[in-house]
Amino acid sequence: MIDQSQFRKKLEELLEQADVQDKRLTNEQIKEFFAEDGLTEEQMLLVYDFLMSQKIVVSGYYKQQTTEQIDESKFSDEEKQYLAEYTEDLKAMKQEQEGERAELLEKAVAQDALAKSRLIELYLPQVVEIAKELHEEGIYLGDCVQEGNVSLILALDMLPEDDADAFIQQEIRQGILAMMEEHKELKRRDKMENQVNNLDETLHKMADEKGRGITMSELAEHMKISEDEILDIIKLAGEEMYDKFKEYKDN
């Protein structure tokens, strides 16, 4: 079984491989990369989430989403207004004709610029629906739509000869999910940084006030969190914070 340091190193190697491949990996590549490491299904899901947080597109991987009907009441008033205005703008575009999309996809595979331009118009409403489906609280819906639009444009430059429509939808989903994972990772880092700073400031303050070393129980009581939570913060902060805590504790 792979240990934590080895796992971190392999993730770094995987990111280097993705950089060489224009921030893209296939599901098969990832499974093969970790084939001998005995990762659980849960650990593999964490790998996919990590890659998406780094804006790596994983072809062939579909993150499971709820199949429940979209409840638009969950959107904020700002998001509802955005949806209404954006949807109204889309109505001004020329309506799709029967058989038009299939014909345009065939031309777009051959790098026809006009076909790509028209396909963008045809897929914009679909981007909105996918964004609404994937949207999570705390992430602005408009950002999901815009990220989906960018992924749509990029996808049209990479169309495969077979299943071009499925490929486009997959790229839109992957782009939105990657943006959302990146957003959540930034929030996690911000939270961790705040916790570390708070712990650091509290250590300084308590040591100055008491003029002696600080026990774990005193620190936990002052911060109103458990001793285990303090240990978790120290572990996340790394060796520097551990040494600082040990210094204050031993003085």
Side-chain angles (χ1 to χ4, degrees):
M1 178 68 70
I2 188 170
D3 64 30
Q4 188 173 3
S5 62
Q6 291 173 325
F7 182 60
R8 188 178 294 113
K9 184 177 180 180
K10 292 208 72 169
L11 284 177
E12 291 174 358
E13 293 174 0
L14 194 58
L15 287 178
E16 291 174 2
Q17 183 176 339
D19 284 337
V20 174
Q21 299 176 193
D22 296 325
K23 298 285 187 179
R24 303 180 67 83
L25 293 168
T26 66
N27 194 21
E28 290 73 20
Q29 283 178 312
I30 296 170
K31 288 181 177 179
E32 182 178 349
F33 189 81
F34 289 104
E36 299 178 358
D37 297 315
L39 298 188
T40 64
E41 182 178 350
E42 183 180 16
Q43 288 172 321
M44 286 301 296
L45 290 176
L46 290 175
V47 170
Y48 292 124
D49 285 345
F50 169 75
L51 290 171
M52 286 192 290
S53 75
Q54 304 302 307
K55 305 211 79 171
I56 306 299
V57 174
V58 182
S59 300
Y61 169 67
Y62 299 89
K63 186 170 182 177
Q64 289 188 348
Q65 299 292 324
T66 179
T67 57
E68 296 178 4
Q69 188 175 2
I70 298 170
D71 179 13
E72 296 196 10
S73 66
K74 67 179 181 178
F75 301 136
S76 67
D77 290 341
E78 183 183 1
E79 288 171 329
K80 291 176 182 177
Q81 182 177 355
Y82 169 84
L83 271 178
E85 293 175 355
Y86 192 78
T87 304
E88 192 63 29
D89 290 341
L90 293 181
K91 290 179 181 178
M93 295 181 181
K94 180 182 175 184
Q95 296 299 303
E96 181 175 355
Q97 305 299 311
E98 185 177 352
E100 181 183 12
R101 187 174 306 215
E103 183 180 342
L104 288 170
L105 285 171
E106 187 175 338
K107 291 180 179 179
V109 169
Q111 300 302 312
D112 185 306
L114 290 177
K116 291 180 184 179
S117 179
R118 175 59 177 154
L119 280 170
I120 290 173
E121 294 182 352
L122 297 185
Y123 276 97
L124 286 179
Q126 204 160 347
V127 170
V128 175
E129 293 306 311
I130 293 174
K132 286 162 60 178
E133 174 191 341
L134 300 179
H135 172 267
E136 294 181 12
E137 187 177 356
I139 301 175
Y140 182 54
L141 178 62
D143 292 339
C144 296
V145 173
Q146 295 309 313
E147 190 66 38
N149 289 343
V150 171
S151 299
L152 165 61
I153 293 169
L154 294 175
L156 290 172
D157 286 331
M158 304 181 292
L159 289 179
E161 293 186 5
D162 298 323
D163 296 326
D165 176 69
F167 174 81
I168 290 172
Q169 294 188 55
Q170 174 189 336
E171 292 295 302
I172 293 169
R173 286 178 172 274
Q174 287 282 9
I176 295 173
L177 286 170
M179 181 276 290
M180 292 170 61
E181 289 299 327
E182 182 182 35
H183 177 87
K184 287 186 281 188
E185 178 64 22
L186 288 173
K187 287 186 69 174
R188 283 192 290 266
R189 289 180 185 177
D190 287 343
K191 182 179 179 180
M192 185 189 79
E193 185 176 345
N194 289 335
Q195 289 176 326
V196 170
N197 289 338
N198 187 28
L199 178 59
D200 192 19
E201 291 172 2
T202 303
L203 276 172
H204 277 287
K205 182 179 178 181
M206 291 185 70
D208 289 342
E209 290 176 350
K210 295 181 180 296
R212 60 170 174 78
I214 308 303
T215 67
M216 182 70 77
S217 60
E218 287 175 329
L219 191 59
E221 182 179 357
H222 185 88
M223 296 183 68
K224 293 182 171 50
I225 58 177
S226 69
E227 294 184 19
D228 286 341
E229 287 175 302
I230 291 175
L231 287 173
D232 287 340
I233 295 171
I234 293 172
K235 288 176 184 178
L236 286 171
E239 189 174 340
E240 183 178 348
M241 176 57 73
Y242 175 78
D243 290 341
K244 185 175 292 188
F245 176 73
K246 190 172 183 294
E247 175 187 341
Y248 280 116
K249 185 174 182 292
D250 291 345
N251 281 341

